[in-house]
Amino acid sequence: MSNLYLPFPITFKPFLKNGNEEELPFWLLKCIKDDNKKRYLNLFDDDLSFLNIDSNTVKAINEFAFNSVNHDSLFKDFLVNSNKDLFFDDFDLKISLKNVLKRNSIKKLSDLNFKDSKLRTLSTKFPGLGKRKIFEIFLFISKKIENSKPNEILIHDSENMMVNEDEANALLNKISDYPTENYLFNDPRFINVENILFQYIEEHLESETNLKEALQISVFFLPINKFKEAIEETIKILSAIKSLNFESQIIHLCKAINKNNVIAPKYFDGIMDRIGIIESKEKIPTLQKVASRFDITRERIRQLESLFLIEKEKYFKDEYIFIDKFEEIKSILKDKVFLSTNEVENEIYKRNLGDWNLQRILAILNFLNNPNIYEIFKGTLNQKGNEDDVNTIRQIAKKIISYNGVVEINHLKEIIESLGIKLTDKNIKKVLSYFDEIAPNWLYVKTTNNLLENLADRISNFSKKISIQDIKDAHVKNNGYRSAQFTRDRSRTGFYGFLTPNNEAIKAYFIKNENFNVEDNSIIPLTDNGKKYIEDKKGSDYLLLELFKNRDFNALTDTELRESFVKLGGHEGSLRLYMSYKPYLKKFGRQIWGIVGHPPTDQDLKNTRNRIQKINPPKLEWSNTGVIEIKAQIGNVNSYAFIIKDNFLEYIEKDEFEIKIRDETYCKIKRSDKFWYGISKYLKNIIHCNSGDFISIKLDLINYEAFVTKISSSDYFD
């Protein structure tokens, strides 16, 4: 393959991207016969020749030359009068250059010559170019005309065109509303337009001439009257197609593909249904179903389907196929990703594009050689590859709702981003499209358990009307109590953190819940679902309900609540825990407790406040050398703790003291932040203290032992 020429003549030399003295790559030098030719400018010499090289190397050399040229500068500054061997004007030249660069031709542009100034036909022979390529070149002009303004289009030899230049420009401008570039290439519906152009080319070209770059002279081959016939035929077909509905547009195309009847007319509709291009809400039928329709074998249906698709490939291969109304469907798919198939299908129907099963729409994407990035995943339009992410997001959202009541978008987004899933708020909402957005950014879907309903059910045993604020406060208490436990338990992988909803979201949730009525800012339980919490007569809910029922739901002091609960058989140590999270218990003041929905009157609050048993504060003093004594009155035996002031702390070097019985350690007093705890076991079991008793705690700073005894009130006040 010697004596090969690069694509561009020496006149291209001024338009090189790099300087003329730049050296050639070493691999290109190995291909050149003359070792002295080592500069870019030599690439454009007429006598440049190569060693025997393979076709791939030829392509590589041509690509190198192609990329060496500054195309923008070439289009802008290359003039006819600087290139004496070319015989056409600036407008045609620029089209020529664009096409040559686009195709990266092996032959030089300087090989193009015209022997006749009137017809401007080519004398140079370029074998291998068929009619279809010539037609594509003419269609390239159509695209150029479509994208140009009328006054930019040059009409040549107007005296022979049977129409004046203004009329020609008006005609060419008519096609500006049509997507010519997408319709014309390879489309069997335009075979008549193709024939008109073929006929004229055959009549006016020398019989022995084939074209390699016919674009340079195409506008001269085609008088405006023939171009007018072709364009009017095109507009006629386009107008007819645009008036059809979506299904008919596709069928119109498929009938054109089947113009040679590779599928007999009696089987045509069945094969179209099998491919998925028949409008229907039914899924695409199986081979067996179509075969049964015609009483033939499945294999025969498979053969017919294959024959039709092969016929389609003759025209389109992998080329994109433009269908006017399908462009709108594509925009719907892009916008409705992560929505349910029903929502997508309804949107297509609302736009008057047909009543389609989404599976068929995705099949049409493939049929029209469109990049199909979609699939149907669990009843949702999904982007391929996102299945696991969609599943994860939905599972996490449901899990949060089950233990939190509702889920908030930003909370959920923070969690999924920590797992490496990146989605916008809008797309998260799409993934959760079957959830209800009950308040801005708060989503809900029904789950087996729901914390908001559980809280309301528990409270319903104590009050038949519950304020939204009381539900919110109960949620806060529950979260404060449970979060620490959930976080500490590392095996609890389904916990993603609590977040208390705002009042608007809580109210909206109960409006949706059929077990409750909502009046203003309160909810009213309509069922006895809460009764299950008081069925156990030894349980805390039952005991506390009995306690407050016996007191007509009046307020109690801290001490009264504790004493009454113990009398009913409750455990004093557990009560302190219940007071921190039970949704129906409410603190109405310092050491004053009551039930939500039963607020104390002013007089009741005053009377209860007067009954508060005041606990005297601890007193610290040096008992003797190396011993600190703490005298204190006990409030709660089961959870007793005390504080040591800073002026004593500086002498304490350890954070625990041992309490011994017969030289054996019984328990330890330990420090946690500013509190010292661990003494309750000794107070209750060894010296049998009750609430209100006075004690003495002596801390030995040398041996770090503690000695605890009961003392009288007079000992405390001495």
Side-chain angles (χ1 to χ4, degrees), residues 246-261:
F246 172 45
E247 181 196 49
S248 298
Q249 285 188 350
I250 307 175
I251 295 297
H252 186 275
L253 170 68
C254 291
K255 285 182 176 178
I257 293 172
N258 195 49
K259 64 181 184 293
N260 296 322
N261 285 329

Side-chain angles (χ1 to χ4, degrees), residues 159-172:
E159 67 273 17
N160 296 323
M161 290 185 179
M162 301 167 59
V163 66
N164 64 43
E165 187 169 338
D166 290 339
E167 290 174 322
N169 284 330
L171 170 66
L172 299 179

Side-chain angles (χ1 to χ4, degrees), residues 498-671:
F498 287 109
L499 185 68
T500 297
N502 57 29
N503 288 18
E504 181 182 1
I506 294 173
K507 182 175 182 179
Y509 164 78
F510 283 104
I511 289 174
K512 293 189 68 66
N513 193 314
E514 60 189 14
N515 294 328
F516 298 87
N517 265 347
V518 177
E519 293 182 359
D520 297 325
N521 286 315
S522 295
I523 65 170
I524 300 171
L526 300 177
T527 69
D528 290 330
N529 290 342
K531 296 297 182 186
K532 59 180 175 288
Y533 296 110
I534 57 174
E535 289 174 353
D536 180 5
K537 296 190 176 182
K538 293 182 179 180
S540 57
D541 284 39
Y542 177 83
L543 295 178
L544 288 167
L545 178 59
E546 289 299 305
L547 188 159
F548 279 95
K549 280 171 61 177
N550 292 338
R551 299 182 63 90
D552 200 22
F553 292 97
N554 289 323
L556 294 88
T557 67
D558 208 18
T559 303
E560 290 169 343
L561 176 59
R562 183 168 56 253
E563 291 175 348
S564 300
F565 185 71
V566 171
K567 283 181 182 178
L568 287 173
H571 192 275
E572 182 180 355
S574 300
L575 177 63
R576 186 63 60 179
L577 200 59
Y578 300 149
M579 292 163 70
S580 68
Y581 78 89
K582 288 294 185 182
Y584 44 78
L585 287 175
K586 185 172 183 177
K587 203 169 188 178
F588 289 98
R590 183 174 175 271
Q591 297 187 44
I592 299 177
W593 290 87
I595 295 295
V596 300
H598 299 279
T601 63
D602 291 343
Q603 186 60 49
D604 185 21
L605 197 59
K606 182 178 179 180
N607 293 341
T608 307
R609 192 175 289 118
N610 290 334
R611 297 196 306 272
I612 293 175
Q613 180 180 344
K614 292 182 172 57
I615 301 296
N616 292 288
K619 299 193 298 185
L620 278 73
E621 57 188 33
W622 288 106
S623 174
N624 48 49
T625 304
V627 176
I628 298 174
E629 183 177 16
I630 303 164
K631 293 180 178 180
Q633 186 178 20
I634 300 173
N636 185 351
V637 177
N638 289 294
S639 58
Y640 181 73
F642 58 90
I643 296 174
I644 299 178
K645 296 179 180 177
D646 291 342
N647 56 336
F648 289 95
L649 273 178
E650 59 181 301
Y651 299 103
I652 301 176
E653 296 178 351
K654 293 185 179 181
D655 287 342
E656 61 180 42
F657 292 84
E658 294 181 339
I659 300 177
K660 294 183 176 181
I661 300 177
R662 293 184 292 277
D663 295 329
E664 294 290 333
T665 301
Y666 180 76
C667 61
K668 293 181 181 181
I669 301 176
K670 297 181 179 181
R671 180 182 180 182

Side-chain angles (χ1 to χ4, degrees), residues 130-196:
K131 292 180 180 180
R132 180 162 296 285
K133 186 57 64 178
I134 296 172
F135 179 58
E136 287 183 6
I137 291 169
F138 276 94
L139 297 181
F140 181 83
I141 299 172
S142 299
K143 293 199 293 180
K144 180 70 180 178
I145 292 170
E146 177 192 7
N147 296 322
S148 301
K149 296 178 181 177
N151 59 7
E152 294 176 346
I153 301 173
L154 300 178
I155 304 298
H156 303 278
D157 296 332
S158 59
E159 67 273 17
N160 296 323
M161 290 185 179
M162 301 167 59
V163 66
N164 64 43
E165 187 169 338
D166 290 339
E167 290 174 322
N169 284 330
L171 170 66
L172 299 179
N173 197 44
K174 280 177 64 177
I175 66 168
S176 62
D177 292 334
Y178 296 97
T180 313
E181 61 184 305
N182 290 324
Y183 269 113
L184 297 180
F185 283 95
N186 298 321
D187 195 323
R189 290 174 294 186
F190 296 91
I191 193 68
N192 292 335
V193 181
E194 184 177 0
N195 287 337
I196 292 171

Side-chain angles (χ1 to χ4, degrees), residues 296-535:
I296 56 178
T297 65
R298 288 182 301 173
E299 184 57 32
R300 181 55 181 155
I301 294 298
R302 193 195 311 276
Q303 290 172 354
L304 290 173
E305 182 180 346
S306 178
L307 283 172
F308 180 77
L309 294 177
I310 290 171
E311 189 72 9
K312 185 195 84 167
E313 289 291 304
K314 290 181 182 179
Y315 296 101
F316 299 105
K317 295 182 181 178
D318 295 326
E319 291 93 346
Y320 164 79
I321 305 173
F322 181 89
I323 295 291
D324 179 53
K325 286 188 168 58
F326 195 61
E327 297 303 299
E328 188 174 354
I329 288 181
K330 283 166 60 181
S331 69
I332 293 172
L333 296 178
K334 182 178 179 181
D335 186 56
K336 302 300 179 184
V337 174
F338 303 126
L339 294 185
S340 70
T341 54
N342 287 338
E343 289 176 278
V344 181
E345 290 167 357
N346 289 340
E347 184 63 24
I348 292 171
Y349 180 76
K350 278 165 47 180
R351 302 270 193 96
N352 295 318
L353 294 167
D355 199 9
W356 291 86
N357 181 297
L358 188 56
Q359 180 199 31
R360 292 174 178 262
I361 294 294
L362 299 189
I364 293 171
L365 268 174
N366 292 322
F367 179 76
L368 297 179
N369 297 335
N370 281 254
N372 182 13
I373 62 172
Y374 308 107
E375 64 184 355
I376 298 171
F377 176 68
K378 293 189 175 180
T380 301
L381 177 65
N382 186 46
Q383 287 183 335
K384 292 178 180 178
N386 282 340
E387 300 89 344
D388 290 342
D389 290 350
V390 170
N391 234 1
T392 299
I393 292 170
R394 290 176 177 173
Q395 287 176 352
I396 290 174
K398 286 181 179 179
K399 186 67 178 178
I400 293 173
I401 289 172
S402 70
Y403 65 68
N404 204 53
V406 287
V407 62
E408 199 264 343
I409 286 291
N410 293 315
H411 181 205
L412 178 62
K413 187 177 179 182
E414 180 181 340
I415 293 165
I416 65 175
E417 285 184 352
S418 71
L419 301 175
I421 302 173
K422 302 287 186 181
L423 282 182
T424 63
D425 292 1
K426 180 180 179 182
N427 280 340
I428 291 175
K429 287 182 180 180
K430 284 183 178 181
V431 170
L432 304 177
S433 60
Y434 65 94
F435 287 45
D436 290 318
E437 186 170 9
I438 58 177
N441 280 349
W442 290 94
L443 303 179
Y444 166 74
V445 73
K446 191 171 183 179
T447 54
T448 304
N449 294 304
N450 188 282
L451 177 60
L452 290 172
E453 182 169 6
N454 292 344
L455 292 172
D457 283 343
R458 280 185 180 271
I459 298 173
S460 68
N461 293 309
F462 294 79
S463 177
K464 295 305 179 186
K465 190 171 186 179
I466 313 163
S467 74
I468 298 297
Q469 186 60 45
D470 283 337
I471 295 289
K472 183 177 181 180
D473 291 342
H475 198 287
V476 172
K477 288 166 66 176
N478 177 84
N479 297 354
Y481 166 65
R482 297 182 75 196
S483 285
Q485 293 182 354
F486 273 59
T487 304
R488 282 198 301 267
D489 185 355
R490 294 185 178 180
S491 66
R492 199 186 297 271
T493 56
F495 177 67
Y496 302 100
F498 287 109
L499 185 68
T500 297
N502 57 29
N503 288 18
E504 181 182 1
I506 294 173
K507 182 175 182 179
Y509 164 78
F510 283 104
I511 289 174
K512 293 189 68 66
N513 193 314
E514 60 189 14
N515 294 328
F516 298 87
N517 265 347
V518 177
E519 293 182 359
D520 297 325
N521 286 315
S522 295
I523 65 170
I524 300 171
L526 300 177
T527 69
D528 290 330
N529 290 342
K531 296 297 182 186
K532 59 180 175 288
Y533 296 110
I534 57 174
E535 289 174 353

